[in-house]
């Protein structure tokens, strides 16, 4: 016990397997050399076990660690931050394997392994990866069991089986803890995972960006409503507004980034709903106009978008209340209006001229807006994801030459025309529509639902939403992108295997929707199970709750669960027989006073027969007891100690009283 | 059912006087679908017992006298060329009977012995490439003469294990022998016996045996017995799992004969000598047949409850 | 202070786990706490919980809780691995001072298997063994025998960390282990003046201490002869097994007398012990006289054991086992 013990073979086997399993979920973001490092270290360790190689000495270890550090720095550009930190952790986890000499080292490695599993969750928290992580955890536990020098611990499968049964037995307790353990806010802020390569809206928009988004079927967010969701053509999910135009791109001005709470007035019926956002690496949240949320660290910005302090780098659940008929900024500041009239100094002369002409023709702003929309409707505009190329005067070319494009073109050009006509207007970027999952009654909004529309301002009425795309391709709004571009087969043309392309296959579609719902529930009930959600759940189930109540639930539930597990492990019903035996011992003691001692190998029936011959007066009682005992113990009939006791009492009464 | 079994027992006991216990064990062995080895001197009634059992149970009976020149073909059968048809015709050997008495099995060569024993084990025989099923039920009573050891081949342990039980009939009690001497020659009574069970009833009874309840407590007793043979120093080797299974099966059949739906320790004790006696050997006596004293030790020392 | 606590603990332990030759471990005897590894495990869990809180990651919470629950379930498993284990003390052979005393303890399982049971005295190094379900294993615990008399090693520690090593369930059981430690035999001569003390290897009353092998002759070896007296040279010359024959001093029984020796008690006892062994080996009858004890002339193993026992227990306040120390 005192001297350091070497590591049993089975433990080493499981350690190697566990390492592989721990590293697999990280493969997506690990530099390749770490995998090579692991292979090298594993081979080295196996050779050490086979006595074909030596343990590294202190110099070599230092050099390896240094090399790994440099490697991380080179491939990640830093040694701090979550990304680099995790690579460093894994490198250490891998290198530690080579110097694992004693049980103590192995334990360090196992605990490092548990921690590495936790870091994998920061990168991928899907249900599949959570289920997968049970494998490395089992393997690590098996390695821990393997460290015990017992015969069982020399059999790999028995070890794994025990580890698995430990996990299985721990599961109910874990669920209890998960439900009732009080959640708290972050104690200090930590660097998050880099959400690189996340597709989504950006804070500037050239038409090509949206076209690219429309090729992606990745999920943007899911929304579930209390009650019936609003009709599809009302589902305009605001992300942000783009109020600066430089002749080619629409972008967000610095002003829009200022946290100025705009004035607005609640009107009409509110809608309550919940959104679970996929990581977007952007700080803004999606909402229907005009929304309030209880989410911490979130505020409304000057253009009515909701923005969080940090970017959304993992899936985020929030509850919203929206007033679709609210008045948005009926009295806007001059600065706001000035920005909503900004135009580049030159370019697009035909559009400007048309705007001037319209202004003269329609002095009323609303009439002018209707005229522009009518123009889109009447002229041969064509909704397509493959627009024809435009020249330097992109608005002119689009409005008067090519007349083919999608939402970004329509929204951009209309805003341009309105501004040129002196009406404050801006482009709103976000999503429109979404696919209803009928089984779960929630909407899935995907990247190809990205949309841009226009809002213009009227004194006293505030910002009003108009959607020029609706005039050109109403099916885009009513039915979705797929129907809008049905003619040209451009829907998801770059991802031929996306299940969304095969919605006409009923079973596939059913499966896709069901799977999506499982994932959504996972996000809402597991990943989103944080402070507010927890309290809400308890209040819904149990009414008012407080910390004491939580603690009581945890302790009480834990005791019950533990008692059940103990019952399962100790199997006290097997002691029932012992109680039968106890009664039989009393029977024996009773007869022993009459010089009738049962031989150890004498069965109950033989003994009873002998006793009955010796005590003919009490033969009936003796036989009755013996028969009842036999029937219970061997016949499995009427497991009742009371009956045995009763027969025993009868016998005691029948026997003459005698001291031992 | 029960009454039929009792009728069988009393019918056989009519013929074989004073051997109630052995007759009962033999019947239990048959019900448990096991084979029986009888070790006894000539003239103790081995053949009578076999014939009587076959008669009352309605089984076809064959006797094979084992001699040193007996060949496997004499037991299993051979193909003979038929001149008329120009084909080989298979002539069944004496083993194709429902109850086979293999008399003085230790006088045959190991080759012939194993032909019989393999047939017993598998319930079928393979002759010249063709597999032929033996009748069902199939029950072998083999006898061994313990005295005349000259020029004989005693069955090795591995072969002994194939017999569920080993019995010894022993000399009859004085009263029984007197009755024997006064009365008719026993074999003359045999033709008068009428079958009591038919095949279907026998199969039904045999199927009843595994259903007899064996409680945890009883299994513990069997385990204690087996454990003792494996740990106590006087045992040259312990009982195999096959032996403990055989013990349970025999105890079940015994309980069925007693008309009980569950096994009690007394059942195990009743069959223990005949089931494990030939499977045990004393360490101090590596050659001898001293299983008996070991069984007595087990019956005396291992806690029954 | 510590001494006081120690004795109090011992008293409490003696009440809770009274000495017994056979003992079945149950909740009355078993204590359980997290081991050092367990403390490390808890530390790792706390770190993981901090990560879960700071990253607000439900899965990290989940894994932390899962491992925490494993810890709690492991309490049951560790306890279960020790409970129901039967400990039986076996017979122990007497040894001489300076030798290694060996105690036999048999571990038996009544129901389930008991894995990786560690048994022994922490100062002597512990012994690890497994007990299969419904069977037993024998353990031999060693202890150096340092002083003459009854050796009572006291309570034996039995512990188990199975399955995960994060908890240790243990007990201090008193299996009433004891054995006799005979005095260390020290070679030497018996004084010439000590009563009838005659060096049996010599004929007549010659000067003591010569030690020469003055033998009578050779005779054929008989199975009962001591191997020490084999004449190996003759054997190597192919003359067969011969023994050097010394004529026994017939009629003159040897008396070993404590009071006839002059040195301190232990040295005298050691010398007497040597001679008891020597004479017994040669199958010569002798008697032993100690102050207050006299064992008459006899020979054989029983006699030897009686003499050794008397030498061993000489001067101790109790003569038989079982009396409190």
């Amino acid at each position: 016990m005192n001297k350091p013990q070497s590591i049993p073979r089975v433990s080493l086997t499981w350690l190697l397997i566990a390492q592989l399993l721990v590293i697999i979920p990280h493969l997506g973001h690990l530099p390749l050399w770490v995998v090579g490092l692991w292979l090298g270290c594993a081979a080295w360790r196996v050779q050490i076990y086979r006595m074909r190689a030596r343990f590294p000495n202190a110099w070599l270890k230092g050099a390896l660690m240094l090399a790994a550090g440099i490697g991380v720095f080179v491939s990640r550009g830093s040694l701090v931050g979550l990304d680099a930190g995790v690579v460093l952790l894994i490198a250490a986890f891998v290198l530690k394997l080579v110097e694992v000499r004693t049980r103590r080292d192995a334990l360090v490695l196992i605990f490092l392994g548990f921690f590495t599993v936790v870091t994998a969750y920061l990168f991928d928290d899907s249900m599949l990866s959570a289920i997968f992580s049970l494998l490395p955890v089992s393997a690590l536990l098996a390695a821990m069991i393997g460290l015990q020098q017992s015969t069982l611990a020399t059999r790999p499968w028995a070890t794994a089986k025990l580890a698995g049964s430990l996990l299985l037995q721990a599961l109910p307790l874990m669920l209890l803890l998960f439900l009732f353990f009080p959640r708290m806010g972050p104690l200090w802020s930590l660097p998050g995972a880099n959400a690189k390569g996340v597709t989504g809206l950006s804070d500037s928009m050239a038409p090509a960006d949206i076209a690219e988004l429309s090729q992606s079927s990745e999920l943007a967010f899911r929304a579930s409503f209390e009650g019936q969701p609003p009709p599809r053509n009302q589902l305009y999910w605001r992300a942000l507004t783009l109020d600066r135009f430089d002749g080619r791109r629409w972008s967000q001005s610095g002003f829009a980034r200022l946290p100025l709470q705009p004035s607005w007035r609640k009107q009409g019926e509110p809608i309550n709903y919940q959104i679970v956002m996929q990581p977007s690496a952007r700080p803004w949240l999606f909402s229907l106009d005009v929304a309030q949320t209880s989410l911490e660290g979130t505020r409304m910005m000057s253009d009515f978008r909701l923005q969080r302090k940090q970017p959304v780098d993992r899936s985020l659940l929030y509850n919203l209340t929206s007033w679709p008929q609210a008045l948005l900024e009926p009295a806007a500041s001059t600065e706001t209006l000035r920005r909503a009239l900004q135009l580049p100094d030159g370019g697009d002369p035909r559009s400007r001229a048309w705007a001037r002409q319209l202004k003269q023709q329609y002095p009323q702003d609303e009439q002018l807006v209707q005229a522009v929309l009518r123009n889109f409707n009447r002229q041969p505009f064509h909704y397509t994801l493959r627009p024809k190329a435009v020249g330097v005067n992109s608005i002119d070319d689009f409005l008067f030459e090519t007349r083919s494009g999608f939402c970004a073109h329509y929204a951009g050009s209309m805003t341009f025309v309105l501004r040129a006509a002196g009406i404050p207007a801006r482009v709103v970027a976000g999503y429109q529509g979404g696919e209803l999952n009928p089984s779960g009654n929630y909407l899935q909004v995907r990247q190809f639902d990205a949309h841009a529309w226009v809002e213009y301002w009227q004194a006293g009425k505030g910002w009003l939403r108009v959607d020029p795309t609706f005039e050109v391709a109403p099916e885009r709004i009513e039915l979705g992108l797929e129907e809008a571009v049905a003619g040209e087969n451009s829907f998801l043309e770059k991802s031929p295997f996306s299940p969304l392309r095969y919605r006409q296959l009923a079973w596939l579609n059913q499966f896709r929707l069901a799977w999506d719902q499982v994932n959504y529930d996972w996000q809402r009930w597991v990943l989103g199970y944080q402070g507010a959600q927890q309290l809400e759940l308890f209040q819904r189930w149990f009414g008012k709750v407080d910390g004491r109540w939580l603690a009581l639930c945890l302790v009480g539930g834990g005791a019950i669960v533990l008692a059940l597990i103990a019952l399962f492990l100790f199997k006290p019903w097997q002691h029932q027989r012992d109680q039968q035996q106890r009664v039989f011992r009393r029977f024996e003691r009773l007869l022993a006073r009459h010089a009738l001692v049962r031989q150890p190998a004498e069965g109950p029936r033989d003994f009873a027969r002998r006793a009955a011959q010796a005590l003919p007066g009490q033969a009936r009682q003796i036989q009755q007891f013996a028969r009842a005992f036999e029937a219970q113990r061997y016949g499995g009939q009427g497991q009742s100690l009371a009956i045995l006791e009763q027969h025993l009492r009868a016998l005691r009464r029948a026997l003459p009283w005698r001291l031992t | 059912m029960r009454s039929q079994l009792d009728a069988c027992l009393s019918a056989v006991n009519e013929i074989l006087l004073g051997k109630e216990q052995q007759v009962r064990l033999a019947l239990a062995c048959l019900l448990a679908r096991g084979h029986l080895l009888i070790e006894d001197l000539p003239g103790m009634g081995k053949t009578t017992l076999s014939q009587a059992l076959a008669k009352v149970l309605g089984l076809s009976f064959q006797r094979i006298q084992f001699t040193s020149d007996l060949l496997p073909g004499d037991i299993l059968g051979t193909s003979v060329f038929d001149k008329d048809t120009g084909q080989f015709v298979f002539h069944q050997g004496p083993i194709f009977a429902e109850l086979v008495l293999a008399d003085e099995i230790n006088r045959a060569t190991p080759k012939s012995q194993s032909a019989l024993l393999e047939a017993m084990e598998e319930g079928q025989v393979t002759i010249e490439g063709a597999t032929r099923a033996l009748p069902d039920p199939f029950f072998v009573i083999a006898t061994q003469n313990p005295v005349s050891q000259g020029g004989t081949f005693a069955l090795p342990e591995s072969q002994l294990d194939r017999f569920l039980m080993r019995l010894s009939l022993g000399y009859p009690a004085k009263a029984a022998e007197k009755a024997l001497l006064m009365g008719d020659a026993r074999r003359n009574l045999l033709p008068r016996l009428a079958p009591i069970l038919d095949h279907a009833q026998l199969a039904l009874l045999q199927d009843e045996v595994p259903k007899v309840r064996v409680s945890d407590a009883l299994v513990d007793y069997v385990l204690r017995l087996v454990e003792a043979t494996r740990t106590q120093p006087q045992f040259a080797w312990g009982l195999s799992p096959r032996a403990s299974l055989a013990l349970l099966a025999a105890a079940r059949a015994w309980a069925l004969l007693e008309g009980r739906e569950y096994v009690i320790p007394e059942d195990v004790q009743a069959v223990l000598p005949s089931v494990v006696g030939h499977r045990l050997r004393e360490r101090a006596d590596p050659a001898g047949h001293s299983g008996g004293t070991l069984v007595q030790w087990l019956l005396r020392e291992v806690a029954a409850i | 202070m510590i001494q006081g606590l120690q004795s109090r603990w011992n008293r409490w332990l003696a009440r809770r786990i009274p000495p017994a030759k056979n003992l079945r471990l149950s909740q009355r005897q078993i204590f359980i706490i997290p081991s050092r590894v367990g403390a490390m495990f808890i530390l790792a869990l706390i770190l993981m919980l901090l990560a879960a809180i700071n990253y607000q990651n439900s899965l990290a919470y989940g894994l932390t809780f899962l491992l925490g629950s494993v810890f709690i379930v492991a309490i049951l498993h560790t306890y279960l691995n020790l409970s129901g284990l039967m400990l039986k003390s076996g017979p122990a052979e007497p040894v001489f001072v300076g030798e290694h005393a060996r105690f036999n303890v048999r571990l038996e399982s009544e129901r389930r298997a008991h894995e990786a049971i560690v048994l022994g005295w922490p100062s002597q190094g512990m012994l690890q063994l497994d007990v299969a379900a419904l069977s037993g294993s024998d353990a031999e615990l060693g202890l150096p025998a340092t002083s003459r008399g009854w050796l009572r090693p006291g309570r034996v520690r039995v512990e188990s960390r199975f399955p995960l090593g994060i908890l240790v369930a243990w007990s201090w059981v008193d299996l009433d282990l004891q054995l006799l430690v005979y005095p260390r035999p020290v070679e030497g001569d018996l004084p010439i003046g000590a009563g009838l003390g005659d060096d049996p290897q010599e004929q007549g009353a010659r000067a003591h201490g010569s030690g020469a092998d003055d033998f009578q002759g050779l005779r054929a070896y008989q199975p009962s002869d001591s191997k020490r007296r084999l004449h190996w040279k003759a054997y190597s010359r192919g003359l067969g097994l011969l023994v050097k024959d010394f004529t026994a001093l017939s009629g003159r029984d040897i008396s070993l007398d404590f009071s006839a020796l002059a040195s301190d008690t232990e040295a005298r006892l050691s010398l007497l012990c040597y001679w008891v062994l020597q004479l017994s080996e040669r199958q010569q009858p002798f008697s032993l006289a100690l102050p207050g004890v006299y064992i008459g002339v006899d020979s054989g193993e029983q006699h030897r054991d009686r003499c050794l026992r008397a030498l061993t227990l000489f001067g101790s306040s109790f003569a038989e086992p079982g009396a409190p120390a």
Side-chain angles (χ1 to χ4, degrees), chain A residues 19-54:
Chain A
Q19 271 209 324
L20 178 68
L21 292 171
V22 164
I23 291 173
I24 282 175
H26 285 280
L27 283 180
H29 61 91
L30 274 187
L32 211 59
W33 60 264
V34 178
V35 180
L37 186 69
W38 180 72
L39 287 176
C41 287
W44 191 354
R45 189 61 186 80
V46 171
Q47 289 297 78
I48 292 174
Y49 182 80
R50 299 170 66 200
M51 310 273 220
R52 305 247 170 101
R54 290 169 173 284

Side-chain angles (χ1 to χ4, degrees), chain B residues 7 33 68 73 122 127 143 148 152-153 164-165 178 183 192 207-208 210 226 256-257:
Chain B
R33 296 181 197 269
S68 54
E122 284 151 29
I127 308 148
T143 70
S148 67
T152 63
F153 304 91
L164 179 65
M165 290 188 187
K178 188 171 181 191
R192 284 188 232 155
D207 289 342
E208 280 300 305
V226 173
L256 187 73
L257 280 177

Side-chain angles (χ1 to χ4, degrees), chain A residues 184-195:
Chain A
M184 53 193 102
L187 303 178
W188 63 85
S189 88
L190 285 167
N194 266 351

Side-chain angles (χ1 to χ4, degrees), chain A residues 149 151 169 184 187 314 526, chain C residues 54-55 58 77 128 130:
Chain A
Q149 315 261 355
T151 41
Q169 287 163 21
M184 53 193 102
L187 303 178
R314 58 178 156 265
V526 180
Chain C
N54 276 320
Y55 283 104
S58 284
H77 280 261
Q128 180 169 332
D130 301 322

Side-chain angles (χ1 to χ4, degrees), chain A residues 82 111 121 148-152 169-170 174 178 184 187-188 190-191 314 522 526-527 530 570 574-575, chain C residues 37 41 48 53-59 61 65-66 69 73 77 79-80 111 115 128 130 163 165-166:
Chain A
L82 182 68
F111 294 153
Y121 294 147
Q148 303 295 313
Q149 315 261 355
S150 88
T151 41
L152 179 118
Q169 287 163 21
M174 173 259 198
F178 190 83
M184 53 193 102
L187 303 178
W188 63 85
L190 285 167
R314 58 178 156 265
W522 173 258
V526 180
L527 302 183
Q530 300 292 350
F570 289 82
Q574 290 185 350
H575 290 293
Chain C
V37 178
F41 188 78
M48 284 162 68
I53 291 174
N54 276 320
Y55 283 104
Q56 297 278 297
N57 188 307
S58 284
L59 294 186
Y61 271 119
F65 295 152
L66 184 62
S69 306
V73 171
H77 280 261
Y79 168 78
L80 205 63
R111 265 163 79 188
E115 312 275 347
Q128 180 169 332
D130 301 322
I166 50 183

Side-chain angles (χ1 to χ4, degrees), chain A residues 379-565:
Chain A
Q379 299 297 322
F381 279 95
H382 175 53
Y383 186 86
T384 174
L385 287 177
R386 301 167 183 153
K388 294 176 188 141
V390 290
V392 180
N393 291 320
S394 58
I395 305 286
D396 277 5
D397 288 358
F398 170 69
L399 278 180
F400 305 108
E401 303 293 333
T402 63
R403 284 182 177 146
S404 68
F406 45 89
C407 58
H409 296 98
Y410 297 105
S413 57
M414 181 166 176
T415 308
F416 185 93
V417 172
L418 291 185
R419 283 183 178 190
I423 302 173
R426 59 194 182 196
V427 175
V428 188
Y431 296 88
Q432 200 282 322
E435 182 186 10
L436 187 74
N437 190 325
S439 52
N441 196 29
Y442 65 90
L443 287 166
Q444 318 166 38
V445 180
R446 298 179 179 277
Q447 294 299 350
F448 59 65
D449 291 317
H451 192 54
W453 61 94
V454 179
E455 59 185 16
Y456 69 99
W457 186 81
Q458 286 289 287
K461 293 184 180 167
W463 295 98
L464 299 168
R465 182 177 67 214
V466 285
D467 189 353
T469 312
F470 182 77
E471 301 300 324
V472 182
E475 62 275 15
R476 163 70 184 87
I477 309 304
E478 303 285 356
L479 298 169
L481 181 69
E482 192 182 4
E483 275 71 24
V485 295
E488 62 181 22
N489 274 335
S490 60
F491 179 66
L492 296 178
E493 60 185 345
K494 287 175 190 158
S495 32
F497 298 112
S498 164
L500 284 168
R501 290 193 60 165
Y502 304 100
R503 275 193 266 208
Q504 65 278 15
L505 290 177
W507 62 270
L508 189 65
N509 202 36
Q510 288 284 319
F511 176 75
R512 183 182 64 84
L513 289 174
W515 177 240
D516 190 79
Q517 192 193 343
V518 169
N519 277 312
Y520 182 45
D521 288 343
W522 173 258
Q523 282 196 324
R524 278 206 303 178
W525 297 111
V526 180
L527 302 183
Y529 194 75
Q530 300 292 350
Q533 174 94 351
Q534 187 183 29
L535 266 182
E536 199 179 295
L537 184 79
F538 288 146
Q539 279 165 359
R540 178 140 31 105
W541 283 1
F542 309 106
K544 192 95 191 86
V545 294
D546 56 6
R548 244 184 59 190
W549 185 86
L550 275 186
L552 214 68
C553 274
L554 199 54
V555 171
I560 292 170
V561 167
L562 262 187
L564 286 177
I565 296 173

Side-chain angles (χ1 to χ4, degrees), chain B residues 261-273:
Chain B
E261 297 112 48
Y262 52 86
V263 183
I264 59 172
E266 282 84 351
D267 298 331
V268 178
Q269 292 175 345
V271 298
L272 189 74

Side-chain angles (χ1 to χ4, degrees), chain C residues 27-308:
Chain C
Q27 82 270 17
R28 197 176 163 76
Q29 287 92 19
I30 299 174
F31 312 99
I32 186 162
I33 53 161
S35 62
R36 209 179 306 163
V37 178
M40 263 167 80
F41 188 78
I42 291 172
L43 198 72
L45 284 189
I46 290 174
L47 282 177
M48 284 162 68
L49 187 64
L50 282 179
I53 291 174
N54 276 320
Y55 283 104
Q56 297 278 297
N57 188 307
S58 284
L59 294 186
Y61 271 119
L63 183 59
T64 312
F65 295 152
L66 184 62
L67 291 177
S69 306
V70 165
F71 188 97
I72 291 168
V73 171
I75 298 177
L76 294 177
H77 280 261
T78 312
Y79 168 78
L80 205 63
N81 192 39
L82 209 53
S83 92
L85 182 67
M86 276 294 283
L87 292 144
K88 295 178 177 173
S89 65
E93 292 293 313
V95 294
F96 295 95
V97 169
E99 285 183 342
H100 221 63
R102 284 191 288 268
F103 296 95
N104 290 306
V105 176
R106 184 169 168 79
L107 305 181
E108 278 180 10
S109 133
E110 289 192 327
R111 265 163 79 188
R112 57 182 74 85
H114 302 273
E115 312 275 347
I117 303 292
V118 176
L119 187 73
W121 298 283
S123 58
Q124 301 299 322
M126 313 275 275
L127 196 75
Q128 180 169 332
L129 69 166
D130 301 322
V131 187
L134 295 170
S135 75
S137 322
D138 291 297
E140 204 180 68
L141 303 177
L143 197 66
T146 50
S147 61
R148 170 179 68 87
W150 282 106
L151 176 62
R152 293 200 178 83
R155 290 183 179 270
V156 179
R157 184 180 168 94
V158 48
E159 65 173 41
S160 156
R161 290 160 198 257
F162 196 82
L164 289 177
I166 50 183
L167 290 145
V168 50
W170 87 96
S171 185
W172 283 101
V173 292
D174 192 341
L175 293 175
D176 220 3
L177 295 177
Q178 56 186 358
L179 56 69
L180 270 179
V181 180
Y182 296 149
R184 183 201 305 268
V186 174
E187 204 174 339
D189 298 316
L190 289 175
I192 184 168
L196 311 165
D198 233 347
D199 192 335
Q201 296 187 6
E202 308 207 3
Q203 182 75 335
R206 290 226 270 153
H208 65 275
S210 77
D213 281 344
D214 193 11
F215 61 92
Q216 286 293 89
L218 294 168
R219 64 168 173 77
Y221 170 79
Q222 286 168 342
S224 62
D225 286 332
S226 162
K227 299 221 169 40
R228 286 198 182 184
R229 289 197 280 161
L230 271 175
H231 194 260
W232 292 107
K233 281 179 192 159
Y235 182 64
S236 66
R237 285 198 296 268
L239 297 174
L241 277 176
L242 297 172
V243 285
K244 298 169 220 165
D245 193 23
F246 303 96
T247 40
L249 300 176
S250 54
R252 295 185 64 191
D253 292 324
I254 302 159
S255 163
L256 301 174
D257 190 354
F258 181 82
S259 53
L261 301 172
S263 54
D264 67 18
T265 311
E266 292 305 318
R268 286 197 248 181
L269 290 172
S270 289
L271 186 64
L272 288 175
C273 179
Y274 172 76
W275 280 108
V276 166
L277 293 175
Q278 281 291 316
L279 295 174
S280 296
E281 194 169 314
R282 294 176 198 158
Q283 299 170 359
Q284 279 191 314
F286 61 93
S287 65
L288 177 69
L290 295 172
V293 182
Y294 179 78
I295 297 171
V297 177
D298 201 349
S299 68
E301 272 190 28
Q302 274 190 350
H303 177 64
R304 184 194 69 191
D305 290 346
R306 260 181 81 200
C307 294
L308 287 174

